[in-house]
Amino acid sequence: MAKRSLMAKGLTASMPMTGDLMDAPALVAFDFDGTLTVRDSFNAFLKWRAGPRRWTTGVIRLTPALVAYVFNRNRGKLKAAAVREFLKGVSQAKLEADARAFAELYAPSLFRPDALAVWRRWRAKGAKLVIVTASPDITVAPFARGLGADLLIGTRLAFDANDRALGALAGPNCRAKEKVVRLKEAFGEDVRLTAAYGDTSGDTEMLAIADERGYRVFRGKPA
């Protein structure tokens, strides 16, 4: 069996990164793609990792899944198809390393400066900060750690016994109602957010359990 990574041993991207979550005087949740960032980070990661030729070929091969999405609007199935096309068979350790390299290269061109300013203001107030994203937790983890997030909740990818990507999701796509389900798993059934920020219909349920609701409030673009 291949050497197991830290994430495979239980230190997953969905576990606390700093401090004791239950001590927080305020709990604030941020969506990632389109809220903290200017565009979808997972598609950008897949395109970067694949390279121009492989990306073009892969997108063509995904045509049936893209056509199906027009009718079923199932983002989870479309994401699973993309994972199967571009990541199946990749070791978890390799995927983690690639995610770190991608974050180092692209963080400056992805983050919204006004979103980061609000993030830092909440941090200065002593709030616990949570990223709740539909993107895979393994690819967002380096960004979350760079921000000093207390918790990252994201879509989980499935891996086999040898820590290789199966080309599927391990559970539901983390959007819409699933975001609240996952928050309840972390903080209890009666979880209430001090504030939440999002930019799509996939954030509606999360915003509904927040006292302060920021919908599409960030417009800034990287310098």
Side-chain angles (χ1 to χ4, degrees):
M1 181 180 295
K3 182 178 180 181
R4 297 180 67 78
S5 67
L6 287 177
M7 292 183 70
K9 293 176 181 176
L11 301 178
T12 70
S14 293
M15 292 184 68
M17 295 182 181
T18 60
D20 183 353
L21 294 171
M22 305 314 294
D23 289 341
L27 180 61
V28 181
F30 286 76
D31 168 56
F32 191 68
D33 298 303
T35 300
L36 282 168
T37 71
V38 293
R39 64 182 187 275
D40 186 283
S41 64
F42 187 48
N43 281 338
F45 170 76
L46 292 178
K47 186 174 183 179
W48 166 80
R49 189 178 185 280
R53 181 176 297 181
R54 175 71 180 89
W55 172 254
T56 299
T57 302
V59 170
I60 292 172
R61 289 164 59 93
L62 283 172
T63 297
L66 292 166
V67 172
Y69 174 73
V70 173
F71 296 96
N72 61 35
R73 310 306 292 181
N74 190 319
R75 293 173 183 264
K77 287 185 176 180
L78 182 58
K79 184 173 295 175
V83 170
R84 184 165 55 252
E85 176 62 34
F86 291 105
L87 300 179
K88 185 176 181 180
V90 179
S91 73
Q92 189 163 320
K94 173 62 175 171
L95 192 51
E96 289 172 356
D98 287 347
R100 288 194 298 272
F102 176 76
E104 289 173 2
L105 285 171
Y106 286 93
S109 63
L110 281 175
F111 283 122
R112 294 186 184 277
D114 50 348
L116 292 181
V118 171
W119 176 280
R120 290 166 183 148
R121 283 202 293 271
W122 278 115
R123 174 61 75 206
K125 293 178 180 180
K128 292 295 182 181
L129 301 177
V130 183
I131 293 174
V132 189
T133 177
S135 284
D137 55 7
I138 195 171
T139 61
V140 178
F143 294 104
R145 292 190 179 100
L147 289 172
D150 295 290
L151 184 70
L152 167 62
I153 296 173
T155 299
R156 302 173 178 123
L157 301 188
F159 292 87
D160 65 18
N162 294 315
D163 291 332
R164 294 192 175 276
L166 289 170
L169 307 184
N173 190 31
C174 188
R175 74 180 305 273
K177 293 180 180 179
E178 183 63 17
K179 290 196 171 187
V180 176
V181 169
R182 298 285 298 280
L183 282 165
K184 287 181 176 180
E185 287 178 358
F187 300 102
E189 285 294 320
D190 59 348
V191 61
R192 187 75 188 173
L193 301 173
T194 305
Y197 302 92
D199 73 307
T200 71
S201 60
D203 300 310
T204 301
E205 289 84 352
M206 181 175 74
L207 293 172
I209 64 169
D211 296 324
E212 178 182 322
R213 303 168 187 177
Y215 181 69
R216 294 186 178 178
V217 294
F218 305 128
R219 305 284 183 175
K221 296 182 179 180

